[in-house]
Amino acid sequence: MNKMELIEAIANETGATKAMTGEFLDAFLNTVTKVLKKKGEVRLVGFGTFTTAKRKATTGRNPQTGAAIKIPASTQPKFKAGKALKDALN
């Protein structure tokens, strides 16, 4: 399911317009992004939690040449599914 299909599904479920639903979805995504940039977390009870995790700098290999390359440290987004979501899939 892509973003437009998600917007259509939510609009059909709620009776809201697609335009309004798209604005709400964009606002949700922007808010989650802003919170994660500040090293916070977004917890949706039953659904899951959006957090960040730090990855250390490592040394990797270029698969074409075999040369060693430095992979810099970075902050990665993480999502941990909640119990209700996990149970719904079983």
Side-chain angles (χ1 to χ4, degrees):
M1 177 178 276
N2 63 32
K3 184 176 178 181
M4 291 308 296
E5 292 168 338
L6 178 60
I7 289 170
E8 186 174 344
I10 293 171
N12 290 338
E13 182 87 16
T14 63
T17 65
K18 288 181 188 178
M20 185 177 284
T21 303
E23 290 176 18
F24 289 145
L25 182 58
D26 287 341
F28 170 77
L29 297 174
N30 289 337
T31 301
V32 170
T33 301
K34 286 178 188 175
V35 170
L36 293 180
K37 278 184 176 181
K38 294 178 182 177
K39 308 294 187 253
E41 71 175 32
V42 177
R43 185 179 309 254
L44 303 172
V45 176
F47 183 73
T49 304
F50 296 91
T51 60
T52 58
K54 292 187 178 197
R55 291 182 67 178
K56 295 187 289 185
T58 60
T59 302
R61 296 256 173 226
N62 180 328
Q64 292 179 338
T65 64
I69 57 172
K70 291 182 181 178
I71 300 170
S74 63
T75 302
Q76 300 292 313
K78 299 286 182 181
F79 176 77
K80 182 177 179 188
K83 182 175 181 346
L85 179 59
K86 289 178 186 177
D87 290 346
L89 299 178
N90 290 329

